Amino acid sequence: MSKDKDLPLFSSDDEAEEFVGSADLTGYDLSALTPTRFEFSSKDARVNMRMPAELLEQVKATAASKGMPYQRFIRQALEQALHR
């Protein structure tokens, strides 16, 4: 089957959820979608650190390019470093 159908635009999360819950997505082009990680663990501990302003700006810019808050980006970088 050809994957040439574009996903429709939705006006609400409920509308999108209803579509995904009932649609056959095999005919849609999903190549533009990006994987997303959801964070379910509570954030009950705090960290305060000092770093060069240049580094923080690079972190913020990289996080923005990935479409995420910079603190989440830092948390993911730490998780990845610990899982190596």
Side-chain angles (χ1 to χ4, degrees):
M1 176 178 212
S2 169
K3 294 185 182 220
D4 54 2
K5 294 195 292 188
D6 291 330
L7 285 171
L9 296 177
F10 304 105
S11 58
S12 70
D13 288 344
D14 290 337
E15 193 178 309
E17 187 176 332
E18 183 179 331
F19 173 79
V20 171
S22 62
D24 176 4
L25 300 178
T26 57
Y28 290 90
D29 179 12
L30 306 177
S31 63
L33 299 180
T34 56
T36 301
R37 291 186 55 203
F38 292 97
E39 296 186 356
F40 297 105
S41 301
S42 66
K43 283 75 174 172
D44 52 1
R46 218 178 237 284
V47 173
N48 184 11
M49 68 172 59
R50 299 190 67 73
M51 67 176 68
E54 251 179 39
L55 177 58
L56 181 57
E57 290 309 312
Q58 289 176 338
V59 165
K60 287 181 176 182
T62 303
S65 75
K66 295 177 180 290
M68 70 173 64
Y70 76 94
Q71 291 177 335
R72 183 182 304 155
F73 176 78
I74 292 170
R75 198 165 43 249
Q76 286 183 358
L78 288 170
E79 288 172 355
Q80 289 172 357
L82 292 172
H83 284 89
R84 287 186 196 161

